[in-house]
Amino acid sequence: MALDTAAFVANFIDETRDNIKQVDASVVRLSKDPGNVEELNTVLRALHTIKGSSRMLKFHSMEKIAHGMESLFKGVRESRYPFSKALMSLIFVGADLLRKGIESITGSGSDAMETRSYEEACERESSGEPFAEDTESLRAKLMPQNEGQASGQGDIPVAPAPSPLRTGGGPASGAESIRVKLEDVSDIIEILNKFIIRQFQLKKTLEGLGDLEREVTLRSGAGSETTVGSPAPEPSADAGFAAGGAILKSVQDLRKAFADQMTQLEQNSFELQERVMKLSMLPMALVTGELPRMVAETSASLGKEIDFSVTGSDILMDKAVLEKLNDPLLHLVRNAVDHGIETPAERKALGKSAVGKIEVACKAEGGNIIIRVTDDGKGLDRARIRERAMETGLISQSSAEAVGDGEIYSLIFRPGFSTRKTVTDLSGRGVGLDIVKHNIDLIKGKIGIKSREGGGSEFILSVPLSLATVSGFFCMAGGEKFLIPSNFVQRVVRLARAETVSYFNKEGFRLENEIIPLYSLALLLGRESENRNPYLYALVVESAGERMAVIVDAVLQHASLIYKPVPRNIQKLKLVQGIVFDENYRIINILFVPELISRFRKMKSIDLIEGVADGRPAIRRVLVVDDSLNTREIEKSILELEGFEVECAADGIEGLDMVKTGSYDLIVSDVEMPRMDGVTMIENIRKDSLHATTPIVVVTSYSDEDTTRRIREAGADAHIVKSDFDRNSLLATVERLLADKGSRGQ
């Protein structure tokens, strides 16, 4: 079904006009205070919103202009060049171009205009190359006849007057509507959250009425249970019996009326929640609309024939979720075309139709959107993935046979991983699926995989309908209450302890002809399980094709609540994705299941069932600080294979911030980094008494005496030169420093 975007275009026009005004205001403030980081972040957010919304509505000229302006401000934020008058003038030209695009969309529905000259000017400026052409000449070239109401160089341009309200026809027309600010929607959601929590409290009151009913029944009817609607008991010689029966009838009527009202209240609140969420929602078609053309172009270049279809594209979802789905869907479908579907000749030889099939199917289920990307191609080559993982050191040869399909599938999402031996324009670089997982993690979704060699593959994305709400199971573990999001939960099970099986130094249980590993949440948290009955309670969770069962002490209830991001002081805790409030207004942590699975995977040869923390080997945490993404990934992979939990920072400032908010057993750092170098970071770390003795290893390309002296005086414990760097040298140094620290009793 074709999508009518008229209503969304009207909102886009209003939103973009506001954001252009924000850009103008921020530029003026920055001209007076160029080092104002908060103002830089504000203007970058405004431009990022313009770019993202333009991309979704296919206003590509607007997208390109916003991208060019964004690159200019990023250069200032990264201190690559100052905020100059010439730069300010170039930004004002971009703002005028955006206004020109808005007026064009309002009049004709199209933003088509010449942008290449402006893009090139931004590229030169952001790369540090002086801009040769003066901005007035550029403005005249791009906006002849003084389009855009441009003002003098360095002044705030005057925006054209908004078009009068259109009552019919044109791209911005549509149903009657009013603008609602997103912050107002957020306020409504906040009130709604309090309302839902009150419902929890009323449910507790209803349970209390049930207890009272049972108590009155016992006292008035010699222990016999009386249900609502049953005949009243026969009169008794006991004078108090009649009065007791009347009280029981009153309590029963009260409980029934209360229960009926609660049912209606829950239904009304659910409908209200849905309506409020729709205020900030957009259709899936905004990201699926460009897929058919991409499939047609890519399949033609590869000599393949593909029947491509999309269903469920009219489903509405949160704009913030939708924006993050664009790249994952593009990569998954392109992978299906390139890796999955065979050539016509190969398919005929296999007895298949020459035309391959790829389908993207979207469906709303509860509070989640399920997106299935399915193809009937060759399927995932488990043997090749396992072989490549051993070649790159992701798994050892000794453990390769013990790795199940779920773990094998999860490897394809690792950064840099590719089974291709040669690089093409479409694949082989090891980028794509890691972007898929990264974006899905950002919106707290999950990825599932089904594959049959020769029979095709299916990637299942489960993402929340809105980032404002979360549905999940309240659980207890080690005396603490948590919420585990239900979109990751496949099943809740109760097991007799005798039903568990041991395999490869692990514990598990059989489910659907598969052994699911069991891991104790209490044990991971360093606590003792409080479950003393003969049964184990577990939630079977899945992420990126990998399944595990998380043992908890109790599963309390399922709930749908308003999601809140984690407070600033615990944002570095990757295990916690956000918070909710329970019926007693206590803060409950929402566990991030992909990180939970990652941490469980690193637990080795320990009692995974009983949850007894005493004597278990602690998971050692390492911080890697380096401005090179490649170096960070290499060091991270080496350390994670040895069971370390590794976090990364891109420079000294980020590293210092993480040290202040986290706890690390060891730090690995580079020297030369932007914003703050490694020596300065180490000096600041050593000033804090909590980290005065934390082992620090410096890995750098410098080996001269001056650098070595500076590193030593700053407080580093070891120095590895990159020319001598390898896996063994890093691990040997790390283990030696940790052993020295342990021998000192720290």
Side-chain angles (χ1 to χ4, degrees):
M1 181 178 69
L3 175 70
D4 180 8
T5 61
F8 307 113
V9 171
N11 289 334
F12 166 80
I13 290 170
D14 288 339
E15 178 188 70
T16 303
R17 279 182 173 144
D18 286 347
N19 280 315
I20 296 171
K21 289 178 184 177
Q22 178 63 64
V23 171
D24 288 340
S26 293
V27 168
V28 172
R29 294 189 190 104
L30 285 167
S31 68
K32 299 173 183 177
D33 182 12
N36 191 325
V37 176
E38 184 177 344
E39 202 64 56
L40 277 169
N41 289 334
T42 298
V43 72
L44 279 167
R45 282 194 296 270
L47 288 169
H48 189 74
T49 299
I50 295 173
K51 183 173 75 172
S53 299
S54 299
R55 179 188 298 155
M56 285 196 294
L57 289 169
K58 309 299 185 292
F59 295 135
H60 297 304
S61 295
M62 298 282 289
E63 178 189 352
K64 291 171 183 176
I65 296 164
H67 178 74
M69 296 172 71
E70 192 179 33
S71 66
L72 295 176
F73 282 105
K74 283 183 177 179
V76 175
R77 188 174 66 176
E78 294 165 5
S79 302
R80 288 190 276 114
Y81 43 77
F83 188 82
S84 63
K85 287 187 177 180
L87 183 69
M88 182 168 63
S89 297
L90 187 56
I91 291 165
F92 280 147
V93 172
D96 285 347
L97 282 171
L98 290 175
R99 287 189 176 89
K100 177 183 177 181
I102 285 295
E103 295 312 304
S104 177
I105 293 168
T106 304
S108 67
S110 169
D111 72 330
M113 56 180 157
E114 198 279 307
T115 63
R116 189 58 205 157
S117 297
Y118 187 74
E119 291 176 70
E120 290 173 350
C122 291
E123 288 169 6
R124 288 196 297 271
E125 188 73 26
S126 62
S127 65
E129 180 184 339
F131 177 50
E133 186 177 20
D134 68 90
T135 51
E136 288 308 313
S137 299
L138 179 64
R139 190 193 305 274
K141 181 192 300 183
L142 294 169
M143 292 177 288
Q145 300 178 354
N146 202 30
E147 289 185 59
Q149 305 291 325
S151 64
Q153 184 171 337
D155 296 327
I156 302 178
V158 179
S163 300
L165 179 67
R166 301 168 67 96
T167 56
S173 66
E176 279 190 43
S177 63
I178 59 171
R179 285 194 74 197
V180 179
K181 293 182 178 179
L182 281 176
E183 53 262 37
D184 291 340
V185 177
S186 298
D187 290 342
I188 296 171
I189 290 173
E190 184 69 30
I191 295 169
L192 182 58
N193 189 41
K194 294 176 181 177
F195 179 59
I196 293 171
I197 293 172
R198 291 292 183 192
Q199 283 182 210
F200 285 167
Q201 294 172 328
L202 289 172
K203 279 188 175 181
K204 292 287 185 184
T205 303
L206 181 59
E207 292 173 7
L209 282 174
D211 294 339
L212 177 61
E213 179 184 348
R214 285 186 286 274
E215 180 67 22
V216 173
T217 300
L218 290 171
R219 291 179 178 236
S220 63
S224 62
E225 289 282 346
T226 307
T227 57
V228 177
S230 62
E234 291 295 326
S236 167
D238 185 352
F241 182 84
I247 294 173
L248 173 61
K249 184 67 167 58
S250 297
V251 171
Q252 287 177 331
D253 290 345
L254 178 61
R255 185 193 61 77
K256 184 179 184 300
F258 199 115
D260 291 343
Q261 291 297 323
M262 275 299 301
T263 300
Q264 188 60 50
L265 184 65
E266 287 179 334
Q267 180 63 33
N268 291 344
S269 68
F270 178 75
E271 292 173 358
L272 176 60
Q273 187 173 331
E274 278 196 325
R275 292 295 181 92
V276 171
M277 294 307 170
K278 283 184 178 179
L279 292 176
S280 59
M281 289 185 172
L282 296 171
M284 275 289 299
L286 292 176
V287 295
T288 59
E290 63 188 55
L291 294 176
R293 175 178 170 177
M294 184 274 290
V295 171
E297 290 178 344
T298 307
S299 59
S301 69
L302 295 171
K304 297 180 179 181
E305 298 179 33
I306 296 176
D307 176 14
F308 178 70
S309 63
V310 178
T311 58
S313 58
D314 56 343
I315 292 173
L316 296 176
M317 63 193 313
D318 192 319
K319 178 184 175 184
V321 177
L322 198 62
E323 287 177 342
K324 294 298 180 186
L325 276 176
N326 190 70
D327 286 343
L329 279 178
L330 188 68
H331 284 297
L332 287 176
V333 174
R334 188 163 57 196
N335 267 14
V337 176
D338 185 24
H339 291 278
I341 300 297
E342 309 93 337
T343 64
E346 289 171 334
R347 292 180 65 85
K348 287 180 179 178
L350 293 168
K352 295 182 177 182
S353 165
V355 179
K357 289 186 178 181
I358 300 176
E359 180 184 10
V360 175
C362 312
K363 183 180 180 182
E365 292 185 5
N368 300 309
I369 301 294
I370 310 300
I371 305 165
R372 299 176 183 273
V373 180
T374 310
D375 69 73
D376 68 345
K378 64 184 69 170
L380 296 177
D381 188 339
R382 298 171 181 81
R384 177 60 186 146
I385 295 171
R386 183 182 281 108
E387 177 188 346
R388 185 63 179 151
M390 288 188 289
E391 290 173 359
T392 55
L394 290 175
I395 58 175
S396 64
Q397 291 194 359
S398 59
S399 63
E401 293 304 318
V403 177
D405 285 348
E407 291 178 73
I408 288 292
Y409 292 157
S410 69
L411 293 171
I412 66 177
F413 295 101
R414 296 285 187 94
F417 186 87
S418 175
T419 56
R420 282 280 173 92
K421 294 182 178 180
T422 57
V423 175
T424 68
D425 290 339
L426 289 175
S427 62
R429 296 176 179 83
V431 296
L433 288 179
D434 60 320
I435 294 174
V436 172
K437 187 175 188 305
H438 176 73
N439 278 22
I440 298 302
D441 283 352
L442 286 177
I443 53 178
K444 311 310 176 189
K446 76 164 185 178
I447 308 170
I449 301 176
K450 293 180 180 178
S451 181
R452 185 165 58 89
E453 290 188 29
S457 300
E458 182 177 48
F459 287 79
I460 307 111
L461 307 182
S462 175
V463 298
L465 190 67
S466 168
L467 290 182
T469 62
V470 61
S471 296
F473 296 89
F474 279 120
C475 303
M476 296 297 298
E480 189 171 348
K481 193 173 183 180
F482 300 95
L483 186 83
I484 298 181
S486 54
N487 64 311
F488 290 99
V489 179
Q490 288 190 331
R491 189 171 300 187
V492 179
V493 296
R494 187 184 77 163
L495 298 168
R497 295 179 187 267
E499 293 181 63
T500 64
V501 295
S502 298
Y503 71 107
F504 298 113
N505 292 322
K506 296 181 180 179
E507 296 290 331
F509 75 102
R510 296 185 184 279
L511 177 66
E512 299 169 349
N513 298 319
E514 182 182 352
I515 296 180
I516 307 296
L518 284 160
Y519 294 91
S520 166
L521 180 56
L523 179 63
L524 180 69
L525 300 173
R527 303 181 181 187
E528 186 171 348
S529 170
E530 295 186 352
N531 179 13
R532 298 290 180 261
N533 64 49
Y535 293 99
L536 296 172
Y537 302 96
L539 294 89
V540 179
V541 297
E542 180 191 17
S543 176
E546 189 169 0
R547 287 206 293 180
M548 291 181 178
V550 181
I551 299 171
V552 296
D553 296 341
V555 180
L556 303 177
Q557 68 181 107
H558 184 270
S560 180
L561 292 164
I562 305 301
Y563 165 91
K564 291 180 176 292
V566 293
R568 188 176 184 84
N569 63 323
I570 60 170
Q571 284 182 352
K572 300 298 182 183
L573 300 180
K574 295 182 180 179
L575 191 58
V576 178
Q577 75 172 51
I579 61 171
V580 292
F581 294 97
D582 69 1
E583 68 275 8
N584 297 313
Y585 282 92
R586 291 177 300 186
I587 293 176
I588 307 299
N589 288 327
I590 308 169
L591 297 181
F592 187 40
V593 172
E595 179 66 18
L596 191 66
I597 289 176
S598 175
R599 296 194 183 193
F600 279 142
R601 196 189 303 121
K602 297 169 188 173
M603 297 172 71
K604 299 179 179 180
S605 302
I606 52 179
D607 189 343
L608 304 176
I609 294 287
E610 297 300 331
V612 179
D614 295 340
R616 71 182 180 92
I619 298 178
R620 298 172 295 181
R621 303 183 74 233
V622 177
L623 174 64
V624 172
V625 187
D626 199 299
D627 61 326
S628 166
L629 173 61
N630 188 50
T631 300
R632 291 199 302 271
E633 289 298 329
I634 290 171
E635 293 174 354
K636 184 173 186 284
S637 297
I638 290 172
L639 292 165
E640 284 187 338
L641 280 172
E642 294 303 311
F644 291 94
E645 178 185 321
V646 183
E647 293 186 355
C648 296
D651 57 42
I653 289 180
E654 185 181 356
L656 188 60
D657 182 51
M658 292 176 71
V659 169
K660 288 178 179 178
T661 57
S663 175
Y664 301 98
D665 297 291
L666 183 134
I667 299 167
V668 179
S669 177
D670 189 13
V671 172
E672 289 297 325
M673 294 182 289
R675 298 203 300 169
M676 179 186 286
D677 62 35
V679 171
T680 307
M681 181 193 73
I682 294 169
E683 289 173 343
N684 280 280
I685 289 173
R686 291 306 191 210
K687 290 176 183 177
D688 187 341
S689 59
L690 292 175
H691 307 290
T693 60
T694 301
I696 300 177
V697 182
V698 172
V699 180
T700 177
S701 56
Y702 295 102
S703 58
D704 59 279
E705 290 185 9
D706 182 57
T707 302
T708 303
R709 177 185 54 78
R710 290 172 56 225
I711 291 170
R712 184 175 60 253
E713 290 177 353
D717 298 283
H719 174 202
I720 300 175
V721 180
K722 286 186 178 179
S723 59
D724 300 327
F725 176 86
D726 61 23
R727 178 179 181 276
N728 293 333
S729 65
L730 176 63
L731 292 177
T733 303
V734 167
E735 293 292 357
R736 174 176 60 79
L737 292 177
L738 289 174
D740 289 346
K741 180 182 178 183
S743 66
R744 295 195 302 267
Q746 298 171 354

